[in-house]
Amino acid sequence: MGDQEHVSLIKASTNGEYLLLISVKRIANASPVTTASQYFVDSYYAALNQRRNTIASFYMAPAAMPGTNLPSISFNGSPIPTAAAMQTLFEQQIPQAHYEVQCYDCHVVNPNYVVEGSHVPPAKTGKNMTILLAVSGYVKYGKPKEAQPRAFSESFLLVPNPAAITGQQRMKNVKEWVIQTQTFRIVV
């Protein structure tokens, strides 16, 4: 098997106290998956909570893979046609939300993903891998003190952002990893 890394992050509340457990199993030099996943989880859920006008920027541009229906987004079983539609859903239909991630797992799916028109970085940099990211936690919709927490489960396939790799965008906050596929589900 090639370079792989498995990460589990578990945060549990016990009598108002939080216990944080991190388990990392590494094979060879795969630490970029941990860094990319942690950064993505932190920034994506912060955007859902507070910066909804940035949600579309977390998704791959359809032009990155012409002739496909990517990104593929499913929200509670309903297909969302575009990243812009996902952002509009959060801005106009979903009440104020507070997402609290309880745990996530990440795995390298393809260590040699090639972004068209880019110079392929060496595999050891981790800049050309695809990442399967599974996240679960709680979300409160509405006023935080009145809303009941609901459990959620979410899966992402993250790919390198062509704009970050090819240098097409010289923006300060360009994301290195973007969502190619996403499935969100409220579980209780």
Side-chain angles (χ1 to χ4, degrees):
M1 295 183 50
D3 293 350
Q4 294 184 27
E5 184 168 294
H6 171 80
V7 178
S8 297
L9 171 69
I10 302 168
K11 184 168 58 171
S13 176
T14 311
N15 298 329
E17 299 287 324
Y18 282 95
L19 173 64
L20 183 63
L21 303 172
I22 299 176
S23 166
V24 179
K25 178 183 173 187
R26 290 191 179 138
I27 302 172
N29 185 15
S31 64
V33 71
T34 305
T35 303
S37 297
Q38 181 66 57
Y39 181 79
F40 177 83
V41 166
D42 291 346
S43 59
Y44 182 73
Y45 290 99
L48 294 180
N49 290 339
Q50 301 167 352
R51 296 183 301 279
R52 291 179 169 194
N53 64 327
T54 66
I55 292 173
S57 69
F58 285 89
Y59 295 85
M60 69 180 291
M65 294 190 81
T68 67
N69 290 327
L70 296 174
S72 173
I73 307 166
S74 174
F75 189 80
N76 253 356
S78 298
I80 308 295
T82 65
M86 183 69 157
Q87 181 171 312
T88 300
L89 176 72
F90 271 85
E91 290 178 323
Q92 297 178 5
Q93 296 180 29
I94 295 180
Q96 175 185 356
H98 176 73
Y99 285 83
E100 183 178 322
V101 172
Q102 295 294 309
C103 66
Y104 72 89
D105 284 323
C106 55
H107 305 275
V108 174
V109 176
N110 179 356
N112 296 306
Y113 181 82
V114 178
V115 175
E116 192 171 325
S118 70
H119 167 68
V120 179
K124 67 180 178 181
T125 67
K127 300 290 183 181
N128 58 336
M129 65 184 165
T130 57
I131 302 168
L132 176 61
L133 176 61
V135 180
S136 61
Y138 294 96
V139 61
K140 290 182 180 182
Y141 293 116
K143 295 180 181 176
K145 292 185 180 187
E146 297 172 10
Q148 293 297 315
R150 302 197 55 198
F152 75 89
S153 176
E154 192 156 25
S155 299
F156 301 93
L157 184 61
L158 304 177
V159 297
N161 185 351
I165 291 177
T166 62
Q168 293 171 353
Q169 270 181 316
R170 295 286 180 212
M171 297 175 67
K172 185 169 112 177
N173 294 323
V174 67
K175 293 165 180 57
E176 289 190 34
W177 305 96
V178 290
I179 301 167
Q180 184 181 63
T181 304
Q182 172 186 16
T183 302
F184 173 88
R185 181 69 73 175
I186 293 287
V187 290
V188 276

